[in-house]
Amino acid sequence: MKKMIYLKTEEEIELLRENNLLVSATLAEVGKHIKPGVTTLELDKIAEEFIRSHGAVPGFLGYGGFPNTLCVSVNQQVVHGIPSNYALQEGDIVSVDCGTILKGFYGDSAYTFGVGEISEQNQQLLTVTKEALLKGVEQAVAGNRVGDISAAVQAHAEKYGYGVVRELVGHGLGRNMHEEPEVPNYGARGRGPLLKEGMVICIEPMINMGRKDVVFERDGWTVRTRDNKPSAHFEYAVAIRKGEADVLTDFSIIEKAIGLAR
Ligand code: MG
Ligand code: MG
């Protein structure tokens, strides 16, 4: 049976925007507290309180049994890291993935932060991963196919010799956090499901400085690079439109909060 892709009404897209703007604001709040010495569990508490104070519920907490509000993945951890008593260190890079549930819909976006001064190599990984996301977004328009997004993300990352994670992919977003279609970060142009107006998808490149291979840790959640080199992760929720994608996530709020915005 063909899997169902739910098309959203304009009202539903606005509810998804509300969710993803709340996720963006939460990531901005978390970003303000990212510095050497803060534990990833402290960041988790900040996020949970912020989300609840805005009348929403953390989207990841309890999802498939996940124990926390944030997925916090440091350095060689790719995604799904569990907040802990680990204290961030100068030079770390830390992916923070956050979800909300508000008015029956989900938000889901992620940003990778540098802790204090980071190496040039790490900075390039962050820059290129975010660029790869934007290359994907350029292709996220009605009439294209999912493979056009995938191929654009992959080509940009591989130009720098980086590894593109295969085991984890982007997804549709709506009343469920993970809906059809899957949105891989690798693939061929012109392949995969047709993009239609009203589709809402998460595009989320997970890009490794070294090889593409990952290992699933025994905690049942954490995914890390097999070669233990760093990995970065940025995620946007976007609504498919004619001509140009409608980005529901707002990184400018985050970058203003951490002093990166111009
Ligand atoms: Mg996410
Ligand atoms: Mg996601």
Side-chain angles (χ1 to χ4, degrees):
M1 203 181 92
K2 219 177 162 193
K3 289 181 189 162
M4 184 73 193
I5 297 177
Y6 297 103
L7 299 181
K8 276 76 184 182
T9 65
E10 287 301 322
E11 281 171 348
E12 290 172 331
I13 290 172
E14 289 317 307
L15 294 176
L16 284 157
R17 190 189 313 279
E18 208 179 316
N19 267 281
N20 285 287
L21 289 178
L22 177 57
V23 171
S24 306
T26 307
L27 290 171
E29 188 62 26
V30 168
K32 285 184 206 165
H33 292 85
I34 289 184
K35 52 182 174 241
V38 71
T39 71
T40 58
L41 202 50
E42 286 167 344
L43 298 177
D44 188 74
K45 290 278 166 296
I46 290 164
E48 179 170 3
E49 280 169 25
F50 190 86
I51 290 168
R52 292 194 191 282
S53 76
H54 286 79
V57 173
F60 297 172
L61 185 64
Y63 187 90
F66 189 76
N68 290 87
T69 292
L70 298 178
C71 294
V72 186
S73 309
V74 182
N75 297 332
Q76 75 274 19
Q77 296 176 341
V78 179
V79 286
H80 302 168
I82 301 173
S84 72
N85 290 320
Y86 174 77
L88 294 176
Q89 295 181 25
E90 181 93 17
D92 283 348
I93 57 169
V94 55
S95 148
V96 181
D97 196 348
C98 180
T100 55
I101 309 169
L102 180 66
K103 300 178 184 172
F105 284 83
Y106 273 91
D108 180 17
S109 307
Y111 194 91
T112 302
F113 299 88
V115 182
E117 287 283 310
I118 64 172
S119 69
E120 252 173 66
Q121 279 178 310
N122 273 343
Q123 185 54 58
Q124 183 184 277
L125 178 66
L126 299 190
T127 302
V128 170
T129 304
K130 200 166 77 174
E131 285 170 358
L133 167 60
L134 298 178
K135 296 279 183 191
V137 170
E138 280 175 17
Q139 299 297 320
V141 292
N144 276 1
R145 290 186 178 269
V146 168
D148 296 319
I149 299 172
S150 307
V153 170
Q154 180 180 16
H156 191 70
E158 290 184 347
K159 204 160 70 181
Y160 293 83
Y162 294 152
V164 177
V165 174
R166 302 297 201 268
E167 288 84 349
L168 300 133
V169 297
H171 50 90
L173 184 73
R175 291 188 184 277
N176 297 296
M177 187 153 62
H178 296 117
E179 297 185 354
E180 291 299 319
E182 288 195 341
V183 184
N185 297 301
Y186 62 95
R189 289 181 58 182
R191 306 289 283 273
L194 185 65
L195 297 171
K196 292 181 186 165
E197 276 189 279
M199 283 172 62
V200 174
I201 57 172
C202 288
I203 305 174
E204 49 177 316
M206 287 153 261
I207 305 298
N208 299 345
M209 190 180 289
R211 298 183 62 84
K212 67 181 188 307
D213 311 84
V214 298
V215 171
F216 292 78
E217 299 277 25
R218 277 187 222 158
D219 63 14
W221 288 102
T222 312
V223 182
R224 71 160 169 85
T225 58
R226 182 175 289 279
D227 61 14
N228 280 311
K229 290 186 179 171
S231 183
H233 176 216
F234 290 86
E235 178 178 20
Y236 265 173
V238 308
I240 303 298
R241 308 275 192 191
K242 283 182 189 145
E244 194 179 5
D246 183 358
V247 179
L248 307 180
T249 305
D250 186 358
F251 282 174
S252 76
I253 307 175
I254 302 168
E255 293 176 349
K256 211 171 279 175
I258 61 174
L260 271 186
R262 274 174 271 179

Coordinates of all heavy atoms in Angstrom, one line a residue, residues 1 35 48 63 82 88 91 100 181 192 216 223 240-241 255:
M1 N 0.8 -1.2 0.0 CA 0.0 0.0 0.0 C 0.9 1.2 0.0 O 1.9 1.3 0.7 CB -0.9 0.0 1.2 CG -2.1 0.8 1.1 SD -3.1 0.8 2.6 CE -2.5 2.2 3.5
K35 N 27.7 27.6 27.5 CA 29.0 28.0 27.8 C 29.7 26.9 28.5 O 29.1 26.0 29.1 CB 29.0 29.4 28.5 CG 28.2 29.4 29.8 CD 28.2 30.7 30.5 CE 27.2 30.8 31.6 NZ 26.2 31.7 31.5
E48 N 12.6 22.8 29.0 CA 11.3 22.3 29.4 C 10.5 23.4 30.1 O 9.3 23.5 29.8 CB 11.5 21.1 30.4 CG 10.1 20.6 30.9 CD 10.1 19.3 31.7 OE1 11.2 18.7 31.9 OE2 9.0 18.8 32.0
Y63 N 8.4 10.5 24.0 CA 8.2 10.0 22.6 C 9.1 8.7 22.3 O 10.3 8.8 22.4 CB 8.6 11.1 21.6 CG 8.3 10.8 20.1 CD1 7.1 11.1 19.6 CD2 9.2 10.1 19.3 CE1 6.8 10.9 18.3 CE2 8.9 9.8 18.0 CZ 7.7 10.2 17.5 OH 7.4 9.9 16.2
I82 N 21.2 11.9 25.0 CA 20.4 12.1 26.2 C 21.1 13.1 27.1 O 22.2 12.9 27.5 CB 20.2 10.7 27.0 CG1 19.5 9.7 26.0 CG2 19.3 10.9 28.2 CD1 19.4 8.3 26.6
L88 N 29.6 21.0 29.4 CA 30.2 21.4 28.2 C 31.6 22.0 28.4 O 31.8 22.7 29.4 CB 29.3 22.4 27.5 CG 27.9 21.9 27.0 CD1 27.1 23.0 26.4 CD2 28.1 20.8 26.0
G91 N 35.3 24.7 23.1 CA 35.7 24.0 21.9 C 34.8 22.9 21.4 O 34.8 22.5 20.3
T100 N 8.1 20.4 20.1 CA 6.9 20.9 21.0 C 5.7 20.3 20.5 O 5.6 19.8 19.3 CB 6.8 22.4 20.8 OG1 6.6 22.8 19.4 CG2 7.9 23.2 21.4
P181 N 6.5 12.2 3.8 CA 7.5 11.3 3.3 C 8.8 11.4 4.1 O 9.1 12.3 4.8 CB 7.8 11.9 1.9 CG 7.7 13.4 2.1 CD 6.6 13.6 3.1
G192 N 12.0 9.9 -6.0 CA 11.2 10.1 -4.8 C 9.9 10.8 -5.0 O 9.5 11.2 -6.1
F216 N 25.1 3.0 16.8 CA 24.0 3.2 17.8 C 24.5 2.7 19.2 O 24.8 1.6 19.4 CB 22.7 2.4 17.4 CG 22.1 3.0 16.1 CD1 22.7 2.8 14.9 CD2 21.1 3.9 16.2 CE1 22.1 3.3 13.7 CE2 20.5 4.4 15.0 CZ 21.0 4.2 13.8
V223 N 23.3 8.3 18.9 CA 23.9 7.9 17.6 C 25.3 8.7 17.6 O 25.3 9.9 17.7 CB 23.1 8.2 16.4 CG1 23.7 7.7 15.1 CG2 21.7 7.6 16.6
I240 N 5.7 23.4 1.8 CA 6.0 23.4 0.4 C 5.0 24.4 -0.3 O 3.8 24.3 0.0 CB 5.8 22.0 -0.3 CG1 6.8 21.0 0.4 CG2 6.0 22.1 -1.8 CD1 8.2 21.3 0.3
R241 N 5.6 25.3 -1.1 CA 4.8 26.3 -1.8 C 5.2 26.2 -3.3 O 6.3 25.6 -3.6 CB 5.0 27.7 -1.3 CG 4.8 27.9 0.2 CD 3.4 28.1 0.5 NE 3.2 28.5 1.9 CZ 2.0 28.6 2.5 NH1 0.9 28.3 1.8 NH2 1.9 29.0 3.7
E255 N 20.3 33.1 16.4 CA 21.6 33.8 16.1 C 21.7 35.2 16.8 O 22.7 35.6 17.1 CB 21.9 33.7 14.6 CG 22.1 32.3 14.2 CD 22.2 32.0 12.7 OE1 22.0 32.9 11.9 OE2 22.6 30.9 12.4

